[in-house]
Amino acid sequence: MKEFGYERAFDVSGALALLDADSGARYLGGGTNLVDLMKAGVERPTRLVDVRELPLDRIEAADGGGLRIGATVTNSDLAAHPEVRRNYPALTQAVLAGASGQLRNMATVGGNLLQRTRCGYFTDVTKPCNKRVPGSGCPAIEGEHHNHAILGASGHCAAVHPSDMGVALTAFDAVVSYETADGPGELPLTDFYVPVGDTPHLETALPPGALITGITLPPAPVAAFSRYRKVRERASYAFAIGSIAVALDVRDGVVHDVRLAFGAVASRPWRARAAEAVLTGAPADGETFAAAADAELADAEPLPHNGYKVALMRNLVVAVLTELAEEAAR
């Protein structure tokens, strides 16, 4: 690991100043991803600015309803919070589906959103990777890609975003708050990650040097009737090969409101707008659920070894929507 400096910040303005003073510095939250990448030589910061002591560790009611989640709230505290469990159960389920208990105790909400892809070519510095070294190539396209993207990829990168939490937050229209030296800003999570296109090394729309300060979950009654389902290759903790966050409000057998997002199928958590359009106002039955899945997956472009994900996601959509509809009918 390359030698680096370390400083701890105790307020937001201090953190911004420390990062601004060193162009090679990086913020350090729980370090559960960044430190691993430093060991592998993928990340080589000159200095770490530790933000764990910033006063951003609270979950509280947001103005106008919903919840405001501080950036340094741990994944464990987020999953256990009673308001999250009651009003956004898919978010609790998504967080608990990710990593081990030890990792959740360290990892932070802000860091979770900024974690990097687990593509093997990205983490192997002996291999080309357009995300790590722009213009070097993407060997995953012709090589190992069974867990890579089927939606929104490009010929320059087919890696997927690894977050479980981000999928539920995307379904619930979460908004990311950040601070820069020029003042505060906000980004809807659906705009937070930029399309991969021909610049896969550019992953978010955050301004340079920005510090994530929190996430706002808007009030959403439908979110109380939600579920997160993750498919992975082993029973112990592992990254998803496909996942969905679903919230469904059924009244008199008709879909009144629905939220749907996919995970592990694209370079970002994928909001399934086409499926939502098919579902809204339609009968809550298997035929509608299959049509919604087909509408969202119509643009899927699987690679030779990950075509299974199309059928997997279709089955997930139908299964979880059916479960929620049956529960609503009881």
Side-chain angles (χ1 to χ4, degrees):
M1 185 186 295
K2 176 187 173 185
E3 188 172 331
F4 59 91
Y6 171 89
E7 293 192 66
R8 179 172 292 172
F10 295 95
D11 55 54
V12 170
S13 60
L16 292 170
L18 286 170
L19 200 84
D20 185 59
D22 186 342
S23 61
R26 293 287 307 275
Y27 293 123
L28 176 69
T32 55
N33 183 210
L34 177 59
V35 174
D36 281 348
L37 293 176
M38 290 169 64
K39 292 177 181 175
V42 176
E43 296 277 5
R44 298 171 62 84
T46 54
R47 184 174 304 276
L48 293 180
V49 178
D50 190 336
V51 298
R52 288 290 295 256
E53 297 300 322
L54 299 185
L56 303 172
D57 60 348
R58 299 189 61 181
I59 300 175
E60 52 196 356
D63 294 339
L67 289 176
R68 164 81 178 180
I69 303 163
T72 63
V73 169
T74 66
N75 289 15
S76 293
D77 286 346
L78 176 65
H81 195 277
E83 290 298 316
V84 175
R85 297 178 63 180
R86 179 165 40 246
N87 296 322
Y88 306 90
L91 178 54
T92 286
Q93 295 161 13
V95 174
L96 294 178
S100 65
Q102 293 91 335
L103 288 170
R104 292 195 297 270
N105 288 340
M106 283 296 295
T108 64
V109 169
N112 186 283
L113 296 181
L114 295 177
Q115 63 180 309
R116 311 293 301 278
T117 179
R118 263 60 175 183
C119 174
Y121 298 103
F122 173 74
T123 54
D124 184 349
V125 296
T126 68
K127 300 291 194 305
C129 172
N130 285 326
K131 186 179 285 294
R132 178 166 36 79
V133 183
S136 61
C138 178
I141 301 294
E142 300 292 335
E144 174 54 50
H145 55 243
H146 80 283
N147 192 23
H148 284 57
I150 60 171
L151 290 167
S154 77
H156 299 283
C157 182
V160 298
H161 197 273
S163 176
D164 294 295
M165 178 194 301
V167 180
L169 290 174
T170 296
F172 299 149
D173 295 317
V175 176
V176 180
S177 299
Y178 62 84
E179 193 80 31
T180 72
D182 296 325
E186 290 186 338
L187 281 168
L189 198 55
T190 47
D191 298 331
F192 182 80
Y193 300 105
V194 297
V196 64
D198 57 2
T199 55
H201 59 292
L202 303 176
E203 296 180 342
T204 78
L206 280 175
L211 173 69
I212 294 176
T213 54
I215 296 168
T216 300
L217 277 172
V222 67
F225 311 100
S226 64
R227 184 158 299 161
Y228 183 76
R229 181 71 52 81
K230 174 178 180 177
V231 178
R232 49 192 168 187
E233 293 180 324
R234 63 186 186 205
S236 60
Y237 74 89
F239 293 98
I241 58 173
S243 68
I244 57 172
V246 184
L248 184 68
D249 180 1
V250 176
R251 301 183 186 182
D252 299 324
V254 173
V255 176
H256 176 72
D257 196 3
V258 62
R259 309 291 175 85
L260 185 58
F262 297 170
V265 297
S267 63
R268 51 183 170 165
W270 187 268
R271 184 66 181 269
R273 299 285 189 189
E276 291 179 354
V278 171
L279 290 163
T280 304
D285 58 27
E287 184 176 348
T288 299
F289 300 157
D294 290 340
E296 193 63 48
L297 295 165
D299 293 331
E301 295 182 312
L303 295 164
H305 303 151
N306 68 358
Y308 74 95
K309 283 195 174 188
V310 177
L312 184 151
M313 295 308 300
R314 187 179 193 274
N315 291 339
L316 274 177
V317 170
V318 173
V320 179
L321 282 170
T322 299
E323 290 174 9
L324 290 171
E326 289 176 350
E327 291 175 9
R330 290 174 191 156

PDB file of all heavy atoms in Angstrom, residues 119-121 127 138-148 158 303-306:
ATOM      1  N   CYS A 119     -16.195  -5.415 -10.207  1.00  0.00           N
ATOM      2  CA  CYS A 119     -15.686  -6.078 -11.423  1.00  0.00           C
ATOM      3  C   CYS A 119     -14.244  -6.510 -11.195  1.00  0.00           C
ATOM      4  O   CYS A 119     -13.392  -5.725 -10.763  1.00  0.00           O
ATOM      5  CB  CYS A 119     -15.776  -5.124 -12.608  1.00  0.00           C
ATOM      6  SG  CYS A 119     -15.018  -5.788 -14.123  1.00  0.00           S
ATOM      7  N   GLY A 120     -13.944  -7.767 -11.496  1.00  0.00           N
ATOM      8  CA  GLY A 120     -12.607  -8.295 -11.253  1.00  0.00           C
ATOM      9  C   GLY A 120     -11.529  -7.590 -12.048  1.00  0.00           C
ATOM     10  O   GLY A 120     -10.376  -7.513 -11.605  1.00  0.00           O
ATOM     11  N   TYR A 121     -11.855  -7.078 -13.215  1.00  0.00           N
ATOM     12  CA  TYR A 121     -10.862  -6.371 -14.029  1.00  0.00           C
ATOM     13  C   TYR A 121     -10.565  -4.990 -13.431  1.00  0.00           C
ATOM     14  O   TYR A 121      -9.459  -4.471 -13.581  1.00  0.00           O
ATOM     15  CB  TYR A 121     -11.353  -6.242 -15.468  1.00  0.00           C
ATOM     16  CG  TYR A 121     -11.560  -7.586 -16.135  1.00  0.00           C
ATOM     17  CD1 TYR A 121     -12.837  -8.102 -16.290  1.00  0.00           C
ATOM     18  CD2 TYR A 121     -10.483  -8.329 -16.583  1.00  0.00           C
ATOM     19  CE1 TYR A 121     -13.035  -9.341 -16.881  1.00  0.00           C
ATOM     20  CE2 TYR A 121     -10.659  -9.573 -17.172  1.00  0.00           C
ATOM     21  CZ  TYR A 121     -11.942 -10.075 -17.328  1.00  0.00           C
ATOM     22  OH  TYR A 121     -12.124 -11.305 -17.899  1.00  0.00           O
ATOM     23  N   LYS A 127      -4.605  -5.683 -15.200  1.00  0.00           N
ATOM     24  CA  LYS A 127      -5.485  -5.787 -16.364  1.00  0.00           C
ATOM     25  C   LYS A 127      -5.946  -4.400 -16.806  1.00  0.00           C
ATOM     26  O   LYS A 127      -6.022  -3.470 -16.000  1.00  0.00           O
ATOM     27  CB  LYS A 127      -6.708  -6.638 -16.013  1.00  0.00           C
ATOM     28  CG  LYS A 127      -6.394  -8.066 -15.572  1.00  0.00           C
ATOM     29  CD  LYS A 127      -5.871  -8.896 -16.733  1.00  0.00           C
ATOM     30  CE  LYS A 127      -5.876 -10.381 -16.419  1.00  0.00           C
ATOM     31  NZ  LYS A 127      -5.136 -10.736 -15.202  1.00  0.00           N
ATOM     32  N   CYS A 138     -11.851  -2.597 -22.098  1.00  0.00           N
ATOM     33  CA  CYS A 138     -12.740  -3.312 -21.165  1.00  0.00           C
ATOM     34  C   CYS A 138     -12.695  -4.801 -21.494  1.00  0.00           C
ATOM     35  O   CYS A 138     -13.478  -5.285 -22.316  1.00  0.00           O
ATOM     36  CB  CYS A 138     -14.175  -2.794 -21.265  1.00  0.00           C
ATOM     37  SG  CYS A 138     -15.330  -3.669 -20.173  1.00  0.00           S
ATOM     38  N   PRO A 139     -11.786  -5.539 -20.877  1.00  0.00           N
ATOM     39  CA  PRO A 139     -11.701  -6.973 -21.166  1.00  0.00           C
ATOM     40  C   PRO A 139     -12.924  -7.757 -20.714  1.00  0.00           C
ATOM     41  O   PRO A 139     -13.107  -8.903 -21.159  1.00  0.00           O
ATOM     42  CB  PRO A 139     -10.442  -7.410 -20.400  1.00  0.00           C
ATOM     43  CG  PRO A 139     -10.223  -6.363 -19.367  1.00  0.00           C
ATOM     44  CD  PRO A 139     -10.746  -5.088 -19.934  1.00  0.00           C
ATOM     45  N   ALA A 140     -13.762  -7.183 -19.871  1.00  0.00           N
ATOM     46  CA  ALA A 140     -14.959  -7.907 -19.435  1.00  0.00           C
ATOM     47  C   ALA A 140     -15.908  -8.183 -20.600  1.00  0.00           C
ATOM     48  O   ALA A 140     -16.647  -9.177 -20.582  1.00  0.00           O
ATOM     49  CB  ALA A 140     -15.688  -7.109 -18.356  1.00  0.00           C
ATOM     50  N   ILE A 141     -15.908  -7.305 -21.601  1.00  0.00           N
ATOM     51  CA  ILE A 141     -16.837  -7.481 -22.726  1.00  0.00           C
ATOM     52  C   ILE A 141     -16.616  -8.836 -23.409  1.00  0.00           C
ATOM     53  O   ILE A 141     -17.572  -9.518 -23.787  1.00  0.00           O
ATOM     54  CB  ILE A 141     -16.652  -6.341 -23.746  1.00  0.00           C
ATOM     55  CG1 ILE A 141     -16.906  -4.973 -23.083  1.00  0.00           C
ATOM     56  CG2 ILE A 141     -17.561  -6.553 -24.949  1.00  0.00           C
ATOM     57  CD1 ILE A 141     -18.311  -4.749 -22.634  1.00  0.00           C
ATOM     58  N   GLU A 142     -15.356  -9.219 -23.552  1.00  0.00           N
ATOM     59  CA  GLU A 142     -15.044 -10.498 -24.200  1.00  0.00           C
ATOM     60  C   GLU A 142     -14.638 -11.566 -23.183  1.00  0.00           C
ATOM     61  O   GLU A 142     -14.446 -12.723 -23.548  1.00  0.00           O
ATOM     62  CB  GLU A 142     -13.880 -10.317 -25.199  1.00  0.00           C
ATOM     63  CG  GLU A 142     -14.153  -9.316 -26.305  1.00  0.00           C
ATOM     64  CD  GLU A 142     -15.227  -9.809 -27.263  1.00  0.00           C
ATOM     65  OE1 GLU A 142     -15.413 -11.036 -27.363  1.00  0.00           O
ATOM     66  OE2 GLU A 142     -15.887  -8.957 -27.893  1.00  0.00           O
ATOM     67  N   GLY A 143     -14.490 -11.193 -21.924  1.00  0.00           N
ATOM     68  CA  GLY A 143     -13.983 -12.120 -20.922  1.00  0.00           C
ATOM     69  C   GLY A 143     -15.027 -12.552 -19.919  1.00  0.00           C
ATOM     70  O   GLY A 143     -16.129 -12.976 -20.287  1.00  0.00           O
ATOM     71  N   GLU A 144     -14.690 -12.436 -18.618  1.00  0.00           N
ATOM     72  CA  GLU A 144     -15.583 -12.866 -17.544  1.00  0.00           C
ATOM     73  C   GLU A 144     -16.623 -11.775 -17.267  1.00  0.00           C
ATOM     74  O   GLU A 144     -16.288 -10.687 -16.787  1.00  0.00           O
ATOM     75  CB  GLU A 144     -14.757 -13.132 -16.281  1.00  0.00           C
ATOM     76  CG  GLU A 144     -15.587 -13.441 -15.042  1.00  0.00           C
ATOM     77  CD  GLU A 144     -16.568 -14.576 -15.269  1.00  0.00           C
ATOM     78  OE1 GLU A 144     -16.145 -15.649 -15.768  1.00  0.00           O
ATOM     79  OE2 GLU A 144     -17.754 -14.384 -14.964  1.00  0.00           O
ATOM     80  N   HIS A 145     -17.871 -12.071 -17.587  1.00  0.00           N
ATOM     81  CA  HIS A 145     -18.899 -11.041 -17.402  1.00  0.00           C
ATOM     82  C   HIS A 145     -20.237 -11.638 -16.986  1.00  0.00           C
ATOM     83  O   HIS A 145     -21.281 -11.029 -17.213  1.00  0.00           O
ATOM     84  CB  HIS A 145     -19.069 -10.232 -18.700  1.00  0.00           C
ATOM     85  CG  HIS A 145     -19.369 -11.089 -19.903  1.00  0.00           C
ATOM     86  ND1 HIS A 145     -18.517 -11.171 -20.977  1.00  0.00           N
ATOM     87  CD2 HIS A 145     -20.407 -11.900 -20.199  1.00  0.00           C
ATOM     88  CE1 HIS A 145     -19.031 -11.990 -21.887  1.00  0.00           C
ATOM     89  NE2 HIS A 145     -20.185 -12.438 -21.413  1.00  0.00           N
ATOM     90  N   HIS A 146     -20.223 -12.786 -16.350  1.00  0.00           N
ATOM     91  CA  HIS A 146     -21.500 -13.420 -16.041  1.00  0.00           C
ATOM     92  C   HIS A 146     -22.330 -12.605 -15.049  1.00  0.00           C
ATOM     93  O   HIS A 146     -23.548 -12.762 -14.979  1.00  0.00           O
ATOM     94  CB  HIS A 146     -21.270 -14.829 -15.483  1.00  0.00           C
ATOM     95  CG  HIS A 146     -20.895 -14.884 -14.040  1.00  0.00           C
ATOM     96  ND1 HIS A 146     -19.623 -14.586 -13.590  1.00  0.00           N
ATOM     97  CD2 HIS A 146     -21.633 -15.184 -12.934  1.00  0.00           C
ATOM     98  CE1 HIS A 146     -19.587 -14.712 -12.270  1.00  0.00           C
ATOM     99  NE2 HIS A 146     -20.785 -15.066 -11.846  1.00  0.00           N
ATOM    100  N   ASN A 147     -21.665 -11.719 -14.276  1.00  0.00           N
ATOM    101  CA  ASN A 147     -22.414 -10.899 -13.320  1.00  0.00           C
ATOM    102  C   ASN A 147     -22.454  -9.441 -13.752  1.00  0.00           C
ATOM    103  O   ASN A 147     -22.651  -8.557 -12.936  1.00  0.00           O
ATOM    104  CB  ASN A 147     -21.788 -11.014 -11.924  1.00  0.00           C
ATOM    105  CG  ASN A 147     -22.680 -10.423 -10.858  1.00  0.00           C
ATOM    106  OD1 ASN A 147     -23.905 -10.326 -11.057  1.00  0.00           O
ATOM    107  ND2 ASN A 147     -22.110 -10.011  -9.740  1.00  0.00           N
ATOM    108  N   HIS A 148     -22.284  -9.174 -15.025  1.00  0.00           N
ATOM    109  CA  HIS A 148     -22.210  -7.790 -15.471  1.00  0.00           C
ATOM    110  C   HIS A 148     -23.565  -7.278 -15.975  1.00  0.00           C
ATOM    111  O   HIS A 148     -24.583  -7.945 -15.877  1.00  0.00           O
ATOM    112  CB  HIS A 148     -21.105  -7.652 -16.506  1.00  0.00           C
ATOM    113  CG  HIS A 148     -19.727  -7.650 -15.902  1.00  0.00           C
ATOM    114  ND1 HIS A 148     -19.268  -8.675 -15.120  1.00  0.00           N
ATOM    115  CD2 HIS A 148     -18.725  -6.740 -15.934  1.00  0.00           C
ATOM    116  CE1 HIS A 148     -18.038  -8.406 -14.705  1.00  0.00           C
ATOM    117  NE2 HIS A 148     -17.686  -7.224 -15.191  1.00  0.00           N
ATOM    118  N   ALA A 158     -19.078  -2.589 -18.741  1.00  0.00           N
ATOM    119  CA  ALA A 158     -20.300  -3.350 -18.461  1.00  0.00           C
ATOM    120  C   ALA A 158     -20.400  -3.696 -16.982  1.00  0.00           C
ATOM    121  O   ALA A 158     -21.144  -4.603 -16.612  1.00  0.00           O
ATOM    122  CB  ALA A 158     -20.323  -4.625 -19.289  1.00  0.00           C
ATOM    123  N   LEU A 303     -24.780  -9.785 -22.481  1.00  0.00           N
ATOM    124  CA  LEU A 303     -23.576 -10.305 -23.107  1.00  0.00           C
ATOM    125  C   LEU A 303     -23.718 -11.833 -23.201  1.00  0.00           C
ATOM    126  O   LEU A 303     -24.675 -12.407 -22.668  1.00  0.00           O
ATOM    127  CB  LEU A 303     -22.355  -9.897 -22.274  1.00  0.00           C
ATOM    128  CG  LEU A 303     -22.091  -8.389 -22.228  1.00  0.00           C
ATOM    129  CD1 LEU A 303     -21.138  -8.035 -21.091  1.00  0.00           C
ATOM    130  CD2 LEU A 303     -21.552  -7.901 -23.565  1.00  0.00           C
ATOM    131  N   PRO A 304     -22.783 -12.511 -23.862  1.00  0.00           N
ATOM    132  CA  PRO A 304     -22.950 -13.956 -24.082  1.00  0.00           C
ATOM    133  C   PRO A 304     -23.175 -14.772 -22.802  1.00  0.00           C
ATOM    134  O   PRO A 304     -23.861 -15.800 -22.836  1.00  0.00           O
ATOM    135  CB  PRO A 304     -21.651 -14.349 -24.784  1.00  0.00           C
ATOM    136  CG  PRO A 304     -21.251 -13.125 -25.524  1.00  0.00           C
ATOM    137  CD  PRO A 304     -21.627 -11.988 -24.626  1.00  0.00           C
ATOM    138  N   HIS A 305     -22.590 -14.327 -21.664  1.00  0.00           N
ATOM    139  CA  HIS A 305     -22.648 -15.164 -20.463  1.00  0.00           C
ATOM    140  C   HIS A 305     -23.537 -14.600 -19.349  1.00  0.00           C
ATOM    141  O   HIS A 305     -23.506 -15.100 -18.226  1.00  0.00           O
ATOM    142  CB  HIS A 305     -21.221 -15.364 -19.913  1.00  0.00           C
ATOM    143  CG  HIS A 305     -20.283 -15.971 -20.894  1.00  0.00           C
ATOM    144  ND1 HIS A 305     -18.925 -15.737 -20.901  1.00  0.00           N
ATOM    145  CD2 HIS A 305     -20.510 -16.799 -21.959  1.00  0.00           C
ATOM    146  CE1 HIS A 305     -18.358 -16.374 -21.905  1.00  0.00           C
ATOM    147  NE2 HIS A 305     -19.294 -17.018 -22.553  1.00  0.00           N
ATOM    148  N   ASN A 306     -24.298 -13.572 -19.623  1.00  0.00           N
ATOM    149  CA  ASN A 306     -25.173 -13.068 -18.557  1.00  0.00           C
ATOM    150  C   ASN A 306     -26.623 -12.913 -19.003  1.00  0.00           C
ATOM    151  O   ASN A 306     -27.403 -12.199 -18.366  1.00  0.00           O
ATOM    152  CB  ASN A 306     -24.647 -11.751 -17.968  1.00  0.00           C
ATOM    153  CG  ASN A 306     -24.707 -10.584 -18.944  1.00  0.00           C
ATOM    154  OD1 ASN A 306     -25.107 -10.761 -20.091  1.00  0.00           O
ATOM    155  ND2 ASN A 306     -24.315  -9.406 -18.496  1.00  0.00           N
TER     156      ASN A 306
END
